[in-house]
Amino acid sequence: AQSVTQLDSQVPVFEEAPVELRCNYSSSVSVYLFWYVQYPNQGLQLLLKYLSGSTLVKGINGFEAEFNKSQTSFHLRKPSVHISDTAEYFCAVSETGANNLFFGTGTRLTVIP
Amino acid sequence: NAGVTQTPKFQVLKTGQSMTLQCAQDMNHEYMSWYRQDPGMGLRLIHYSVGAGITDQGEVPNGYNVSRSTTEDFPLRLLSAAPSQTSVYFCASRIRASGGYTFGSGTRLTVV
C-alpha cells in the first residue's frame, strides 16, 4: 500500500530565506508525485507534478521539487520565500495509471516578516 | 469556465439526518473524487469515479454513497449523519490519472 510522509507539520521561515518542505513516500512500483498548496479557507491548487523524465520539476510561484527514486523522496524547495507563500502544502502520490491519489498530512509554512 | 463547483459551502446537520453534497465540473473531466479533510490527517479519499456510471470506494467510504449519472455531476450522499462526519469535504476532478486535480472550494459540514 502507498503512503506519504511529510516530515514537518510546521515550518517557520523568515521572508526572503530559502525553504525546503520534505516529502517521502512508500511504493514498490512507479509513481506520479504532486505538490499542492492550500491558502486559508480555499481548495487545493496544483503547484507541480512529476510524471517521468527529468527529476527536477519546476512549478508555479517559483517552487521546484526534486524526485529521488533511491530515497523515495520528493522535496519541495523555494530559494526565496515571500509573505504570500504562507499556506499549507500537501504532497500526494499515486501509482502510475492508478485511480487513487494519496495525500500526506500537510506542512504549514509560515513566512515571518 | 467555472471549474469545480461545490454546494453548499456550509451546512449544519443534526445526528441522523441525511443530505447530499453537490459537485459539478464543466471541464469534461473523466475522473472525479470526494475527499474529506480533517486537522492533522490531510485529505482522505471517500469515493471516486473514472467515468459516468463507474464509481469505487476510497479509504473512508463508510456512511457515504455516490453515483455518477453524467460526466459533469458527482454528488455525495450522507445516509445518516454522525458527529464523526464533521469535516471539510472537497470534490476534485482531473482529465486523466496523470493529470493534476482541480479542486472545488469545499463544503464545511458540522454534525451536532
Side-chain angles (χ1 to χ4, degrees):
Chain A
Q2 301 162 75
S3 68
V4 181
T5 302
Q6 291 185 243
L7 298 164
D8 305 298
S9 60
Q10 297 187 57
V11 173
V13 63
F14 286 103
E15 191 174 15
E16 297 184 6
V19 69
E20 178 179 83
L21 306 184
R22 297 180 292 170
C23 173
N24 287 87
Y25 68 93
S26 64
S27 177
S28 58
V29 299
S30 62
V31 295
Y32 297 144
L33 295 156
F34 304 82
W35 274 99
Y36 287 84
V37 59
Q38 184 180 31
Y39 299 104
N41 299 313
Q42 295 187 25
L44 279 72
Q45 179 183 356
L46 180 67
L47 270 179
L48 50 78
K49 62 182 178 181
Y50 171 80
L51 304 180
S52 65
S54 173
T55 57
L56 184 63
V57 179
K58 294 190 182 297
I60 62 172
N61 301 340
F63 284 93
E64 63 181 31
E66 186 158 18
F67 170 57
N68 187 320
K69 187 175 182 179
S70 63
Q71 296 186 8
T72 60
S73 68
F74 190 55
H75 300 334
L76 181 70
R77 302 185 183 100
K78 186 169 183 178
S80 175
V81 295
H82 303 290
I83 296 292
S84 59
D85 293 322
T86 293
E88 188 142 22
Y89 293 79
F90 291 93
C91 181
V93 62
S94 69
E95 292 182 355
T96 304
N99 301 318
N100 292 355
L101 182 64
F102 293 93
F103 285 83
T105 53
T107 297
R108 184 172 301 277
L109 173 64
T110 302
V111 181
I112 304 164
Chain B
N1 193 342
V4 179
T5 303
Q6 289 185 240
T7 56
K9 292 191 182 302
F10 301 94
Q11 184 70 48
V12 179
L13 287 179
K14 293 183 179 179
T15 298
Q17 286 185 315
S18 63
M19 79 160 295
T20 299
L21 307 186
Q22 301 291 345
C23 175
Q25 53 93 7
D26 60 359
M27 298 171 286
N28 202 32
H29 286 174
E30 289 296 323
Y31 291 74
M32 296 187 75
S33 296
W34 276 101
Y35 287 88
R36 59 177 289 174
Q37 183 178 26
D38 302 291
M41 303 187 74
L43 282 80
R44 293 180 292 169
L45 181 64
I46 305 171
H47 285 285
Y48 65 95
S49 168
V50 298
I54 306 170
T55 64
D56 206 346
Q57 297 180 351
E59 302 170 75
V60 288
N62 292 341
Y64 307 95
N65 272 355
V66 292
S67 60
R68 185 97 179 268
S69 57
T70 66
T71 299
E72 294 77 20
D73 299 299
F74 191 43
L76 178 72
R77 297 182 187 86
L78 278 70
L79 308 173
S80 177
S84 61
Q85 294 179 303
T86 293
S87 186
V88 181
Y89 292 84
F90 287 101
C91 179
S93 72
R94 56 180 176 172
I95 194 165
R96 64 181 71 84
S98 61
Y101 269 116
T102 298
F103 279 82
S105 57
T107 295
R108 187 174 294 273
L109 176 68
T110 302
V111 182
V112 298

